[in-house]
Amino acid sequence: MKEVYYVYNNEALASCVLLSVINKVGILDIPRCCLVLPFLLDDRTISFVTKNFTNEMTLKKLVEEQPRLFASFNKRYLSLMPVMINSLMILKKGNQISILDQIMSNNGLEVNDLTIGDRFSKIQKAIPHFIAFTENHPTELLYKTLRVQL
């Protein structure tokens, strides 16, 4: 089962997701970047958020009202850490991003113009919602809200 998880959530898909988010926000701190994949590579979360998003919805409300979606968030966070690191290294070696204190887009490849597949298209629709949920909150609060154990 573990092998299937890593094939389904592979570095190619993860790189496209990370690059899409980084291109949209411009600069992303590393701890916040670690929250991208566990949120956006979960099909149930993507499905719920894209169907039910409203401007009044907050991450805190979402976690409180849909606890089943986030019960395994910490496990996904830990499981996807190697995929995230590998994906960031792929993007860095491909000169798509720079990693210093923060991760910055080098404005190379625009992932939004690519037709990569149905799953990525669904994820792309949820990326603005993820950004809306996270952009105005300190990273520490996001970790608390999502109950990530460090």
Side-chain angles (χ1 to χ4, degrees), residues 18-146:
L18 289 169
L19 188 58
S20 291
V21 171
I22 295 165
N23 280 344
K24 284 190 184 345
V25 298
I27 296 174
L28 192 63
D29 66 56
I30 294 169
R32 187 175 293 248
C33 184
C34 295
L35 300 174
V36 171
L37 297 182
F39 190 97
L40 291 172
L41 293 186
D42 184 66
D43 294 338
R44 294 176 311 143
T45 303
I46 293 305
S47 178
F48 183 85
V49 168
T50 52
K51 289 178 186 169
N52 300 292
F53 182 82
T54 66
N55 288 332
E56 292 79 35
M57 187 182 290
T58 65
L59 183 59
K60 185 176 182 179
K61 279 185 190 175
L62 180 63
V63 171
E64 288 171 356
E65 293 173 8
Q66 297 297 319
R68 287 185 13 237
L69 293 178
F70 297 95
S72 64
F73 192 89
N74 191 65
K75 183 179 177 187
R76 294 192 312 258
Y77 175 90
L78 295 172
S79 296
L80 288 166
M81 190 62 66
V83 174
M84 193 231 19
I85 292 168
N86 290 341
S87 299
L88 288 175
M89 290 302 100
I90 289 167
L91 292 171
K92 185 177 188 300
K93 287 185 182 213
N95 201 30
Q96 298 302 310
I97 61 171
S98 298
I99 304 173
L100 299 168
D101 291 343
Q102 297 185 319
I103 302 166
M104 295 165 279
S105 174
N106 289 341
N107 294 324
L109 180 65
E110 185 58 48
V111 183
N112 297 332
D113 298 335
L114 299 177
T115 306
I116 298 173
D118 290 341
R119 184 168 181 223
F120 182 68
S121 295
K122 290 175 185 175
I123 293 169
Q124 273 187 307
K125 290 176 186 165
I127 289 173
H129 305 315
F130 172 78
I131 292 170
F133 286 143
T134 60
E135 69 184 340
N136 294 320
H137 302 290
T139 303
E140 301 82 30
L141 180 62
L142 297 175
Y143 271 70
K144 270 186 183 173
T145 302
L146 293 165

